[in-house]
Amino acid sequence: MRVEGMITPPGDKSITHRALMLAALARGSSMIHDPLGAADTRATAGIMRRLGAAVSRLRDGKGVRVLGRRWRAPSETLYCGNSGTTARLVLGMLAAHPFTSRLNGDRSLRRRPMRRVTDPLSKMGAQIDEQGGDGLPLTIRGGRLRRIRYQSPVASAQVKSALLFAGLFGGVGVSVTEPHRSRDHTERFLRYLGARIRVSGTTVSIAAGEFRPEGFEITIPGDPSSAAFFVALATLADKGELIVRNVGLNPTRAGFLRVLERMGGKVSIENPRDVAGEPVADLVVRPSRLRATVVHAAEVPSLIDEIPVLAIIAARSAGVTEFRGVGELRVKESDRLGLIASNLTRLGYDVAVLDDTLAVQGDPDHAPIGRVATASDHRLVMAFGVLAKTAGARIALSERSSAGVSYPGFFSVLQGVVCP
Ligand code: S3P
């Protein structure tokens, strides 16, 4: 297979969610350039409207304007669709607001754990009423909060961000310590808006005192998680070269590139620059023969969303690749751990899951043939979509539409860079 051309991934999903939420609470008008326009971020925009903000498209068609307001009680359920980031981060913000809201989501989101956020928010003083056990739907009534020092059992940027938002908008001190450092977009964004955040090791804290940002203007970098599919594709190709432009390279997100380099991948980083406090660059990717590696638990948070595509890379590499400490994959948009293993097995690979470790016996010369069930999980369908393009593969995907959760048009971009 030959891969040739130049692509620009869509705007970063994590940063777009944060931009929409912070703009909806800011004083006055904000402009967000190059945001991700996909199902997940549309869910966030819809909720911001229900809470009182005005969200409209800019005339250039490439950005949105948000008119922030003091939030008011929503008259209807806040529907988060498939998006865990929407649900958990909005819960943090609502904890600081003295009214009641009900949150719900699709089938996948309703089974995802919310107590990791609602337990510490309850300790801060928010009133939570569960209707779905450790999941959605639930109602939250915020108001006067207490300070918290929280030791999170999971490394999760969603938990950390929810508590920081609750503290900032509720005016109380918060400190969150994680087992490993998770992505730091919230910290960078809040600093960009003038908030004071302290970071020491894996602890992030803010002092008491209410914070309300002024309207702002921001450009969203390209999403490294979306770029990863194309980096994988060009690496697994036999010939050609792919340029992937405008990729966010925040070190707390760039674990994928570090692991790929260890495996023998050839990615050169060009034109490094800074966009609104986030490092960004263009990538030039060439095909390479890859060898197995061990992905350690400490690096998992920096590549958590890239494990499906890394597992595909591992399958086409020589040797056994181990992913250690990846139990969190069980509670993503699907049970990714189970589905990576069952689908790769069905395609003829030797795969084992032992506790929280996934081991993939790779074989660069094996032609994967069979049917893949993606459980409507966007990252699984895109990862196996990449594998389907590699030499000798004949793979039928159970669906393709879930790619629209984070990367509308993914399959036509894929088609466009693979030469017949
Ligand atoms: C995200 C954090 C990660 C990631 C998710 C987006 C964020 O989840 O998997 O896709 O924007 O904060 P966790 O915080 O649960 O690890």
Side-chain angles (χ1 to χ4, degrees), residues 12-15 17-18 40 83-86 88-89 112-113 116 154-161 178 182-186 225 253 300-301 303-306 328-329 331-333 336 378-379:
D12 189 283
K13 181 154 81 70
S14 290
I15 305 176
H17 283 302
R18 288 156 172 80
D40 266 19
S83 176
T85 309
T86 305
R88 297 188 180 119
L89 268 56
R112 296 181 64 189
R116 55 179 58 193
V154 281
S156 162
Q158 295 177 355
V159 172
K160 173 176 65 180
S161 303
E178 310 181 88
S182 63
R183 64 189 65 187
D184 66 355
H185 299 304
T186 297
S225 301
R253 292 285 298 284
V300 165
L303 48 75
I304 182 77
D305 294 335
E306 287 68 74
E328 268 297 289
L329 292 184
V331 289
K332 290 295 178 186
E333 285 82 330
R336 286 186 182 158
H378 57 132
R379 305 229 185 262

Side-chain angles (χ1 to χ4, degrees), residues 19-155:
L20 289 165
M21 292 176 196
L22 289 164
L25 267 182
R27 257 190 221 104
S29 165
S30 296
M31 294 222 276
I32 306 172
H33 303 287
D34 302 332
L36 171 65
D40 266 19
T41 47
R42 276 199 298 277
T44 292
I47 288 177
M48 295 305 113
R49 286 194 185 99
R50 285 210 187 291
L51 290 165
V55 184
S56 54
R57 284 223 184 145
L58 288 177
R59 241 181 251 133
D60 67 2
K62 294 195 298 186
V64 293
R65 182 191 302 280
V66 181
L67 187 59
R69 289 257 178 76
R70 287 223 176 259
W71 287 3
R72 54 172 191 236
S75 52
E76 284 169 63
T77 295
L78 302 176
Y79 186 68
C80 307
N82 192 245
S83 176
T85 309
T86 305
R88 297 188 180 119
L89 268 56
V90 165
L91 279 168
M93 290 182 153
L94 289 171
H97 287 83
F99 53 73
T100 303
S101 315
R102 182 170 188 271
L103 273 73
N104 209 348
D106 71 5
R107 225 157 68 114
S108 148
L109 185 58
R110 287 200 299 272
R111 61 166 269 285
R112 296 181 64 189
M114 290 294 144
R115 283 185 190 143
R116 55 179 58 193
V117 173
T118 54
D119 281 354
L121 291 177
S122 302
K123 286 199 183 103
M124 292 177 79
Q127 291 165 41
I128 314 277
D129 180 24
E130 294 178 347
Q131 290 119 50
D134 182 10
L136 296 182
L138 59 76
T139 54
I140 177 166
R141 183 174 175 83
R144 289 181 66 82
L145 298 181
R146 296 182 281 276
R147 68 197 298 266
I148 193 169
R149 268 177 189 284
Y150 190 64
Q151 186 96 38
S152 176
V154 281

